[in-house]
Amino acid sequence: MTALLTIIVLILVAIAIWQMTKMFELSQIKASNSQIASDTDNKYNGYLMFAFLVFLYGLTIFCFVKYTKVLLPAAASEHGEEWDLLMLVSMVIIFIVQTLTQFLLHYFAFLYRGEKGKKALFYADNDRLEFIWTIIPVIVLAGLILWGLYAWTNIMDFNDEDDPLTIELYAQQFNWTARYAGNDNVLGESNVRMIDIDNANILGMDTSDPNGMDDIIVKELHLPVGRKVNFKIRSQDVLHSAYMPHFRAQMNCVPGMVTQFSFTPTITTAEMRKDPDMIEKVRGINKLRAERAAKGEDNSDPWEFDYVLLCNKICGKSHYNMQMKIIVETEEEYNKWIAEQQTFGKSMASVQ
Ligand SMILES: [Cu+2]
């Protein structure tokens, strides 16, 4: 509300200044009131155009220097590398084209600014030139689109090849729960109508389905490195989105249906913590945290890197904090961890 009022006040002040300038102009009877731009006007505008070009390039360089460090680290999944490459190539092409065209636009406006006696050359058309600037974008865009479609088909291919691990991600306001399919690697049936809080059946699992008895419900996601994971994603209440930025993975969680995503993690948490890029990032964040600690503010404990599952749909007031820790570890570490977890069957037996 305050922001809106501030904007309205600023607009009104701008209108007032504009009107006052007009009144001032009208009162200057002797001054020239010609509507035709003079050499001085043209020169002024030409230099402004050139100054804007310098500003634009300055801003670009500033953003590169200041914000490159907030980009994500190297992709930690198999398909992530292809995704990153596609993104990089698209961005480099856009960057080159935009740098050239902005230069031509602004520099030519400056160079060929109007001057008395100077006449513009009338140049009707040039078939060869038009052919070149049509065919190059056609080839480049067709290449990018075909490559993009190919990558998309690869990434979204959901199948049971290569013995994938089946895990359910369950979203609710405002937390995540994960369910491993257990020894049979088949998730038991579930439905929000079967949720029974009194009996600790928080995911609405069908207690008569034998496939569900060995399922394991946890609040921390552990993934063995190099093993494909098939995620089946559900939501209890509203639209959420399962977002795992380090694995370049995101999929909507839609109430009433099961959505899917699949990837193979390639870098363990321990390895990622030793990545020079990551060490630099952690150092930067901990510097900020130390500053907070000095001021006695919250969230100031030293931070250690962990992969994370976030919600990427604004699903309510605590959306910002809807997250789950992901640990990518070796096969042995994973097997040890999963063996220590309780199955759904056992936890039900202990409640009753
Ligand atoms: Cu959410």
Side-chain angles (χ1 to χ4, degrees):
M1 197 60 203
T2 320
L4 183 70
L5 282 175
T6 314
I7 291 168
I8 293 173
V9 167
L10 283 177
I11 291 172
L12 288 175
V13 167
I15 293 174
I17 292 174
W18 174 45
Q19 290 295 332
M20 279 185 338
T21 322
K22 262 186 129 179
M23 272 157 62
F24 181 73
E25 268 178 14
L26 287 171
S27 65
Q28 306 285 306
I29 308 162
K30 279 184 194 165
S32 151
N33 58 354
S34 160
Q35 296 291 311
I36 299 165
S38 65
D39 269 5
T40 321
D41 295 334
N42 286 329
K43 203 170 143 191
Y44 185 59
N45 278 298
Y47 277 102
L48 274 180
M49 277 290 197
F50 189 72
F52 188 71
L53 180 68
V54 173
F55 165 74
L56 210 61
Y57 284 1
L59 188 67
T60 311
I61 293 167
F62 171 78
C63 289
F64 266 115
V65 173
K66 182 132 173 85
Y67 296 115
T68 305
K69 64 176 182 201
V70 302
L71 294 178
L72 283 169
S77 64
E78 254 172 31
H79 75 271
E81 279 166 35
E82 194 185 4
W83 193 96
D84 279 359
L85 186 64
L86 183 57
M87 186 75 175
L88 182 71
V89 171
S90 306
M91 283 298 161
V92 167
I93 291 172
I94 292 170
F95 182 73
I96 292 170
V97 173
Q98 107 95 24
T99 306
L100 283 176
T101 50
Q102 292 302 322
F103 173 78
L104 292 176
L105 181 69
H106 292 92
Y107 184 64
F108 279 20
F110 161 73
L111 193 62
Y112 301 112
R113 61 190 181 275
E115 260 172 52
K116 235 186 186 103
K118 197 157 129 187
K119 212 176 158 193
L121 170 71
F122 178 74
Y123 191 75
D125 58 37
N126 182 324
D127 287 348
R128 182 183 290 175
L129 200 60
E130 285 185 22
F131 178 77
I132 291 172
W133 76 43
T134 307
I135 202 75
I136 292 178
V138 165
I139 294 172
V140 173
L141 284 177
L144 277 183
I145 290 168
L146 285 175
W147 183 15
L149 282 174
Y150 175 76
W152 171 260
T153 319
N154 267 348
I155 293 168
M156 298 313 289
D157 180 25
F158 193 88
N159 59 51
D160 282 335
E161 284 163 29
D162 309 323
D163 182 31
L165 194 64
T166 306
I167 301 176
E168 175 181 79
L169 293 179
Y170 185 81
Q172 70 184 111
Q173 288 169 321
F174 297 96
N175 63 75
W176 296 96
T177 309
R179 173 159 65 114
Y180 288 74
N183 288 334
D184 60 0
N185 210 21
V186 179
L187 287 163
E189 289 295 327
S190 59
N191 191 307
V192 283
R193 291 193 178 82
M194 291 185 231
I195 291 176
D196 186 353
I197 300 295
D198 295 339
N199 284 319
N201 187 359
I202 49 168
L203 300 188
M205 288 177 60
D206 184 349
T207 44
S208 64
D209 183 357
N211 285 332
M213 286 304 127
D214 64 346
D215 287 6
I216 291 163
I217 297 167
V218 289
K219 283 290 187 185
E220 192 176 85
L221 199 57
H222 285 238
L223 304 175
V225 69
R227 172 117 182 244
K228 185 167 122 178
V229 190
N230 281 356
F231 289 102
K232 307 229 170 196
I233 304 162
R234 282 199 301 146
S235 166
Q236 176 175 308
D237 33 44
V238 297
L239 268 183
H240 298 272
S241 183
Y243 179 40
M244 294 170 263
H246 304 100
F247 306 100
R248 311 295 189 259
Q250 182 180 312
M251 180 51 66
N252 281 354
C253 321
V254 187
M257 69 185 282
V258 178
T259 50
Q260 311 184 114
F261 200 91
S262 173
F263 70 76
T264 310
T266 50
I267 304 174
T268 63
T269 301
E271 283 164 352
M272 193 52 126
R273 282 177 183 167
K274 286 187 203 133
D275 181 89
D277 196 23
M278 184 50 76
I279 290 173
E280 197 52 44
K281 267 179 202 297
V282 172
R283 191 179 297 142
I285 291 170
N286 281 336
K287 209 177 119 207
L288 293 176
R289 289 194 162 217
E291 283 167 19
R292 293 179 68 95
K295 285 188 222 151
E297 289 172 351
D298 292 345
N299 294 327
S300 54
D301 303 334
W303 178 74
E304 191 171 38
F305 169 78
D306 264 308
Y307 292 119
V308 69
L309 162 68
L310 298 167
C311 177
N312 206 16
K313 281 270 180 294
I314 300 178
C315 56
K317 66 176 178 182
S318 292
H319 152 78
Y320 73 97
N321 202 24
M322 183 168 161
Q323 53 181 288
M324 182 160 70
K325 187 161 135 183
I326 305 176
I327 294 165
V328 180
E329 54 201 2
T330 60
E331 183 92 44
E332 299 83 63
E333 285 167 327
Y334 167 77
N335 288 338
K336 187 167 168 276
W337 172 80
I338 198 87
E340 287 164 3
Q341 308 305 313
Q342 204 178 31
T343 61
F344 177 69
K346 278 205 184 121
S347 70
M348 287 308 276
S350 66
V351 170
Q352 278 149 8

